[in-house]
Amino acid sequence: MKVNIGITEKNRQAVAVALNQLLADEHILYNKTRNYHWSIEGPSFMEFHKLYETQYTELAEIIDEIAERIRTIGHFAEGRLKEIIKLASLEEPAAPTDQASQIANLDSDHEVLINKLDFVTGLLKQHEKMAWMLRSYLR
Ligand SMILES: [Fe+2]
């Protein structure tokens, strides 16, 4: 079906590709966080068991937001596990059971996503500023 939301098909396609890659990484991080929720061992078991559950629940919401954004711009969200693994940039090392390794691994994955999103947010701000400067001439 044709989508007319003020973004060209070419741009929507490019955004959908980027969002599907982000979606894949969020899936990996979701799955890893849930796996750690199951496998955590040690004196702080319950604290981390609960923290991981809170975080994978939040990641599931993020996943849904991204997937539905892709549908909003007229494309399909990649939902097949094999394809998700191919698209993702995050790694899945053998699941550690100790809290220090788990935290270090999750933290590093969040940092990868933060860096990617920071770049996009930076571009967004640049475009907003350029658009504001251009709009200022219309008064
Ligand atoms: Fe559980």
Side-chain angles (χ1 to χ4, degrees), residues 34 37-38 49 53 56:
R34 194 159 194 196
H37 161 81
W38 296 325
H49 183 69
E53 180 164 353
Y56 74 65

Side-chain angles (χ1 to χ4, degrees), residues 16-28 62-63 66 87-88 113 116-117:
V17 168
L19 285 178
N20 262 315
Q21 284 163 352
L22 177 64
L23 181 66
D25 279 333
E26 299 283 2
H27 268 294
I28 299 291
I62 290 173
I63 284 170
I66 297 169
L87 281 172
L113 291 178
K116 285 186 180 190
L117 293 170

